[in-house]
Amino acid sequence: MQNRGLWKTHTILINMEKVITKSQIKAAVEEAYAECRNLKGGKNADYIPYLANIDPELFGISLTLRDGTTFDFGDTEYKFGVESVSKVLTALLILKQYGAAEVLRQIGADATGLPFNSIFAILLENDHPSTPLVNAGAITACSMVRPQGDSWGKWEAIINNFTDLCGSEAQVIDELYKSESETNFNNRSIAWLLKNYGRIYDDVPMSLDLYTRQCSVGITARQLGICAATIANGGVNPVTGKEVFAPEIAPKITTLIATVGFYQNTGDWLYTSGIPAKSGVGGGVLGVLPGVFGIAAFAPPLDPAGNSVRAQAAVKAVMSRLGLGVFNGDTVRITD
Ligand code: GLN
């Protein structure tokens, strides 16, 4: 009897292993690129003037495996505004600096179900910024970055963390930074409202400026794919081999991404795509399939919630072609 029980368990494990070859993955990315390339719909963000003028035809998709193999198709070397995807990177920095429990206490980990720049969400959450992945929580996160009170030191910590996660340097697009700084009135209101609730832990204009600056960083789809793969790989950058954060942080950041990465559309996204992902109004999407790969796609035109139409379609196409999903219960093994 006992043996039969063991045998059964063993069988189940074998059945749940999914073996995929690298060439199948490459083909899935290539086909997703071809399928979505001419997809129309959406509109560039225009509340930040710089973004309105980016070529809407740009489109790239990049997937990085845990062994560092990368598959790139399209405009994967084009530097676009990282925008809200930057929230993931700086959330990782404060998770490193403060630990998961303290981030939960000082910011929170709740989905807002509301747009990324919602002031209403702050009021509804009873003075809490909800999560580091919406504007409010991201501004609070910038206020938490150490060293406290030192604008330059904080910026260095933020941008060095970008480099570590992406495996290469990223720089602010000056024109974008200027454009955002001149028009970020809503974010100024958020920052001061949070100050009123005691949720900005450093100088207010400095914290807002750091947030604006990190949103203005130019990043490539390839870099974002590597950043996603670093998360999927438990904190070790698969391209540089550097341990960027401790393995226990990976499920925390992936939880935050899964719960709020597409704002009010997050449930629909996860339900239809099967992969936790984070979007930005620059047109980027970063997706993490834990233990398997990181993926990034980029195309400027956005849906009404501010998520890239073509990038969403491309990531979904890769997932469905490979038959993968974060809740599928498969153990995925990738072979040559
Ligand atoms: N910088 C943008 C803002 O704060 C980022 C928003 C986004 O990408 N969703 O409004």
Side-chain angles (χ1 to χ4, degrees):
M1 282 304 278
Q2 239 185 9
N3 275 351
R4 214 164 86 196
L6 275 176
W7 181 80
K8 269 190 184 164
T9 315
H10 191 56
T11 312
I12 289 166
L13 280 177
I14 286 174
N15 285 345
M16 288 169 82
E17 185 175 76
K18 196 168 169 120
V19 182
I20 307 179
T21 64
K22 285 187 184 173
S23 43
Q24 282 174 313
I25 296 177
K26 184 179 178 195
V29 181
E30 189 166 13
E31 284 162 25
Y33 174 75
E35 181 187 309
C36 301
R37 197 176 178 173
N38 298 317
L39 194 68
K40 299 287 169 227
K43 192 166 141 302
N44 284 26
D46 56 7
Y47 75 102
I48 299 169
Y50 175 93
L51 297 177
N53 298 322
I54 303 294
D55 178 1
E57 297 298 323
L58 287 163
F59 175 45
I61 177 161
S62 181
L63 183 150
T64 296
L65 299 174
R66 292 181 70 193
D67 70 358
T69 309
T70 294
F71 303 115
D72 279 334
F73 292 93
D75 303 308
T76 54
E77 291 300 327
Y78 180 85
K79 289 187 170 62
F80 57 93
V82 65
E83 297 298 342
S84 279
V85 185
S86 67
K87 292 166 178 161
V88 172
L89 288 77
T90 298
L92 278 165
L93 179 60
I94 59 162
L95 281 164
K96 269 173 79 163
Q97 292 187 339
Y98 289 79
E102 200 51 25
V103 170
L104 183 66
R105 200 180 69 76
Q106 298 201 32
I107 300 180
D110 251 343
T112 60
L114 288 164
F116 58 85
N117 55 1
S118 177
I119 288 176
F120 197 43
I122 306 168
L123 302 170
L124 278 176
E125 280 278 320
N126 282 329
D127 81 10
H128 218 247
S130 302
T131 159
L133 301 193
V134 297
N135 289 20
I139 297 168
T140 300
C142 287
S143 80
M144 287 171 71
V145 169
R146 291 178 173 137
Q148 288 293 82
D150 172 2
S151 165
W152 180 243
K154 281 164 92 92
W155 176 249
E156 267 199 319
I158 290 171
I159 202 72
N160 289 343
N161 179 56
F162 270 57
T163 305
D164 287 346
L165 287 164
C166 298
S168 54
E169 273 183 32
Q171 270 130 17
V172 170
I173 301 171
D174 289 330
E175 211 188 319
L176 175 56
Y177 173 53
K178 190 167 175 291
S179 187
E180 292 216 32
S181 301
E182 285 167 358
T183 53
N184 63 349
F185 311 114
N186 191 84
N187 288 340
R188 291 182 213 176
S189 315
I190 289 176
W192 285 108
L193 183 60
L194 288 172
K195 172 69 177 174
N196 184 53
Y197 287 132
R199 293 288 179 183
I200 295 285
Y201 306 107
D202 206 332
D203 181 70
V204 177
M206 183 218 284
S207 305
L208 176 64
D209 179 58
L210 289 166
Y211 167 76
T212 311
R213 226 186 300 173
Q214 75 172 21
C215 285
S216 309
V217 167
I219 205 100
T220 67
R222 187 187 169 93
Q223 285 178 307
L224 274 191
I226 293 170
C227 173
T230 303
I231 301 171
N233 197 32
V236 176
N237 185 314
V239 173
T240 63
K242 180 167 181 170
E243 182 177 329
V244 185
F245 57 84
E248 62 269 19
I249 290 177
K252 299 300 181 201
I253 192 70
T254 311
T255 301
L256 295 174
I257 295 171
T259 48
V260 79
F262 280 71
Y263 314 111
Q264 67 271 42
N265 291 354
T266 305
D268 287 356
W269 165 261
L270 197 53
Y271 191 89
T272 52
S273 70
I275 183 167
K278 178 79 202 81
S279 65
V281 292
V285 166
L286 163 153
V288 179
L289 193 61
V292 187
F293 59 63
I295 186 167
F298 152 68
L302 310 176
D303 69 14
N307 305 318
S308 167
V309 171
R310 243 175 297 145
Q312 289 183 78
V315 174
K316 275 187 194 176
V318 170
M319 295 304 288
S320 71
R321 278 193 156 68
L322 295 173
L324 295 174
V326 71
F327 297 125
N328 289 10
D330 300 318
T331 304
V332 181
R333 187 154 59 88
I334 295 168
T335 60
D336 281 326

